[in-house]
Structure formats: C-alpha cells, structure tokens
Amino acid sequence: MTAKATTGRVTRRRVRTRANLLDAAFAVFAAKGFGRVSIEEVCEAAGYSRGAFYSNFDSLDELFFALYEQRADLIAEQVTTALAADGPGLDVPAAVERVTEVLLLDRDWLLVKTDFLVHAARDPEVARTLLEHRARLRRAIADRLARARGHTALPAVPAVPGVPGDAEETAHAVVAAYDGVTTQLLLDRDVAGARVWLGQLLTALLTDGSTRH
C-alpha cells in the first residue's frame, strides 16, 4: 500500500471521527447544557476514547465553537439558497415560503444556540465569533434585498442605529424576527406554529402586509 493511499484513508477516518464527535456532542449539549457536559460524556456518546477527542479538538470549548459554526453555516446556506431562486427581482411571498420551509427550526439546535449566546455574553472573544456569524447571515439577506431594489418594491423599516442603508436595516429586522420566533419555539415547542408565525412576520416586513409583489 502506498503512503498516499494510507494517508487518504487516515484522513477520511479522521473526518468521520470528527463528524461523529460533533453529532454526539450536539445530542449531549442539547440534553444537558454546555456547562454541564464533560469530555468523557461526549466521548462515551460517540463511542471514542479521549485520545480520539484530543486528536480533533483541543478542548470542549473548541468543539462547541465547531458545532456552532457548522449549524450557523447551514442556516446561512439555507437562507441564501432560498432567496436566490428568483431573477433580479424578488417574489416576496414565494421567497418567504421557501425560507420558512427550509429554515432550521430544530428545538435541540435552539437549546445549543441559546447556550452559546449565554456563553458569549460572558466572554468577549466568544461574542466576537457569534457576532461574525450573525453578520454573515445578515449580509446574505441584505445583499439579496439590495439586488432586488429597483425591481421589487420593498418597504422601508425603522432605521437601526449604526446600520447604513435600507437593505441592511431590513436584514437586521429579518434576523430579529427569526430570533423572536425561535425564542417562543423554545417555550411552546410548536414547530408548525413557529413556521407560520415566521412567515407572517417576514411577509409583513418585506411587503405592505398583502401578497402583492
């Protein structure tokens, strides 16, 4: 067997191990909360040794970051894809329907996300990471809205201090609507209701409240 083939197999195994650790950590964090989980519990849930853990992550914090980044990137990709289906203009009702259908509204993820938010509120370095991911999602929305200007009538939203431009302000409002819906979802556990409510909020933000476009 060549060294290249061996290396490729080791790399694939390491990628699979890392993915399995992330999946196991997600389940454990959602069930117990980030601050109550040990490395041993993650390893046990994944079926790996501590050595396998440390060959992929330096600490539980690093694994938590990786888990958050994985899910946050997925959400940004979902929203970007859902908004990219139209031409230069934006079919607002259709786009809202696509976003609310695919957007991740998983209660376990929301529990982990809330843990990350609380963790970030106490640690400026973690807060910077969280803000960067939120900014990435807002930029994806703002860029699409900016491209639609001139083709689709989009209402103005109240100005956000320190946020330039209508598209940026609207993107902030869209993310705020998502935050509000997901907070309610944590309490009432009604995923179907959350999707309906999110659709109504986004439609109200991006139109005059009607379905005209």
Side-chain angles (χ1 to χ4, degrees):
M1 182 182 295
T2 67
K4 183 176 181 180
T6 302
T7 301
R9 191 163 66 187
V10 169
T11 300
R12 287 193 298 273
R13 184 167 64 243
R14 181 168 183 176
V15 169
R16 185 169 59 251
T17 299
R18 181 182 175 89
N20 290 339
L21 284 167
L22 286 170
D23 288 344
F26 177 77
V28 176
F29 287 147
K32 300 188 66 174
F34 171 65
R36 299 180 179 180
V37 172
S38 67
I39 290 175
E40 287 77 11
E41 287 173 300
V42 173
C43 292
E44 182 179 353
Y48 292 124
S49 66
R50 286 175 64 92
F53 179 94
Y54 283 114
S55 70
N56 288 275
F57 302 102
D58 290 334
S59 65
L60 210 55
D61 267 8
E62 183 182 338
L63 183 152
F64 196 42
F65 266 77
L67 182 61
Y68 181 84
E69 289 176 351
Q70 180 190 67
R71 297 295 173 123
D73 287 347
L74 173 61
I75 290 173
E77 181 181 348
Q78 288 174 327
V79 171
T80 300
T81 301
L83 292 175
D86 303 318
L90 184 65
D91 183 336
V92 172
V96 167
E97 184 176 356
R98 289 193 301 269
V99 169
T100 54
E101 281 180 355
V102 304
L103 194 57
L104 188 64
L105 289 176
D106 176 76
R107 191 170 183 273
D108 284 347
W109 157 241
L110 298 179
L111 287 168
V112 173
K113 175 187 170 185
T114 301
D115 271 350
F116 197 85
L117 176 61
V118 173
H119 188 40
R122 295 191 174 99
D123 187 324
E125 187 65 32
V126 180
R128 278 192 290 273
T129 298
L130 179 59
L131 289 170
E132 287 169 5
H133 280 285
R134 288 174 66 84
R136 186 186 312 170
L137 177 59
R138 285 197 306 269
R139 281 196 301 272
I141 298 168
D143 288 349
R144 181 64 186 94
L145 295 176
R147 291 199 304 274
R149 294 286 182 190
H151 302 278
T152 304
L154 298 174
V157 298
V160 178
V163 179
D166 289 344
E168 289 284 347
E169 291 163 4
T170 304
H172 270 264
V174 167
V175 174
Y178 173 66
D179 287 340
V181 168
T182 54
T183 298
Q184 184 65 28
L185 175 58
L186 278 174
L187 300 176
D188 63 25
R189 302 169 182 256
D190 184 359
V191 176
R195 291 197 189 280
V196 172
W197 187 28
L198 181 60
Q200 292 170 341
L201 287 174
L202 296 184
T203 298
L205 281 171
L206 299 175
T207 70
D208 60 4
S210 72
T211 58
R212 297 193 312 271
H213 55 281

